[in-house]
Amino acid sequence: MVEEPQSTQAVLARVCACVQAGKSDANTDIPPGSLGQPGVAEWVEMAIERGASPQTILEEALTAGMNAIGKRFAANEVFIPEVLIAARSMHVGLAKLKPLFVEQGMPSRGVLVIGTVLGDLHDIGKNLVGMLFEGAGWKVIDLGVDCPAEKFLAAVAENPGCAVGLSALLTTTMVSMGETVKSIRAQAPQAIILVGGAPVTEAYAREIGASGYAPDPAAAIELLDSLLSDE
Ligand code: B12
């Protein structure tokens, strides 16, 4: 028997907590022992019934939950599996909100085009960055792995004003990261280009003309916010 929260604010807090725990709905047993208890799906439905706007549910519950997970991941308090199941729960909540946003479209803070550079097949880190940006309210266009500069250029042309994220995990493919930054700069000199991946450093980002480097998704979100507020 689950006690019903008294206020809408308390329902939103339950959504936020369930995102962080990866508790998608009553039918899932994540975390173990929670089978039958309401999750993101049920609490989002209740928040809607109580009159919370989809925008509020998105910002104060789903995004807040993913932001918290991003910070805990950066602090090594949770690890890749927890981030993945939190992102899955957030998507369950988003699916409930989508019909309510049909007319105006899902709100978005902006577009992030992200991909792993040419010659590089590593995508776990890039995917985590994409998920947490999505959780923070960004529309994320994921170009996948082994992306030649032309692929980034086409996406930048199709999404004027987008930010770009480049990922590289090999010292050998850091070279194609530099070439990709150069090509993007030639086409869109003002573009914000973030770079990351285990071998990438702040100094290397500066050397190749990227706008900034971040070691993890939470830092990347903060960096992009600060670069945008400087514009
Ligand atoms: C998993 C893995 C693989 C998997 C990749 C599976 C996949 N789908 O991604 C497979 C088996 C395919 C693989 C292949 C190879 N790998 Co590998 N791989 C790894 C391993 C073990 C983990 C990488 C990883 O996912 N880390 C976890 C994620 C979460 O961390 P991350 O990627 O760094 O991402 C974080 C940050 O860097 C940042 N970030 C990442 N991208 C971005 C982008 C932006 C914009 C921002 C802001 C931030 C950001 O945020 C993320 C989250 O915090 C590493 C070793 C290691 N411990 O790093 C080796 C490693 C990267 N691989 C290595 C090598 C050599 C190879 C191979 C060449 C092996 C071979 N001889 O075939 C091939 C290359 C294939 C290719 N062409 O890409 C070397 C690289 C050495 C070097 N200095 O160049 C490493 C370091 C292993 C080692 N110690 O030798 N690999």
Side-chain angles (χ1 to χ4, degrees), residues 64-89:
M66 282 309 286
N67 283 344
I69 275 287
K71 292 198 172 121
R72 288 164 66 196
F73 178 67
N76 288 324
E77 290 168 14
V78 297
F79 301 97
I80 297 171
E82 284 93 337
V83 180
L84 296 178
I85 58 171
R88 195 172 56 190
S89 299

Side-chain angles (χ1 to χ4, degrees), residues 70 73-74 80 112-130 132-133 145-146 164-174 177 193-200 212-221 223:
F73 178 67
I80 297 171
L112 175 75
V113 167
I114 193 165
T116 304
V117 298
L118 186 65
D120 202 320
L121 302 176
H122 296 83
D123 68 357
I124 299 169
K126 183 259 302 164
N127 293 348
L128 289 175
V129 174
L132 285 157
F133 265 90
V145 296
D146 193 19
V164 184
L166 306 179
S167 181
L169 262 288
L170 300 170
T171 40
T172 49
T173 57
M174 282 168 70
M177 180 176 256
I193 308 171
L194 303 185
V195 293
V200 181
Y213 155 82
D216 58 63
I221 291 166
L223 174 63

Side-chain angles (χ1 to χ4, degrees), residues 88-162:
R88 195 172 56 190
S89 299
M90 178 200 66
H91 278 285
V92 168
L94 278 181
K96 295 276 172 200
L97 297 184
K98 256 184 191 146
L100 306 176
F101 279 127
V102 267
E103 275 173 26
Q104 75 241 49
M106 286 291 277
S108 155
R109 300 187 61 189
V111 177
L112 175 75
V113 167
I114 193 165
T116 304
V117 298
L118 186 65
D120 202 320
L121 302 176
H122 296 83
D123 68 357
I124 299 169
K126 183 259 302 164
N127 293 348
L128 289 175
V129 174
M131 276 175 207
L132 285 157
F133 265 90
E134 211 176 36
W138 288 78
K139 178 180 173 192
V140 174
I141 298 176
D142 188 343
L143 302 181
V145 296
D146 193 19
C147 294
E150 297 72 43
K151 206 165 174 181
F152 287 100
L153 293 179
V156 168
E158 271 169 36
N159 299 278
C162 67

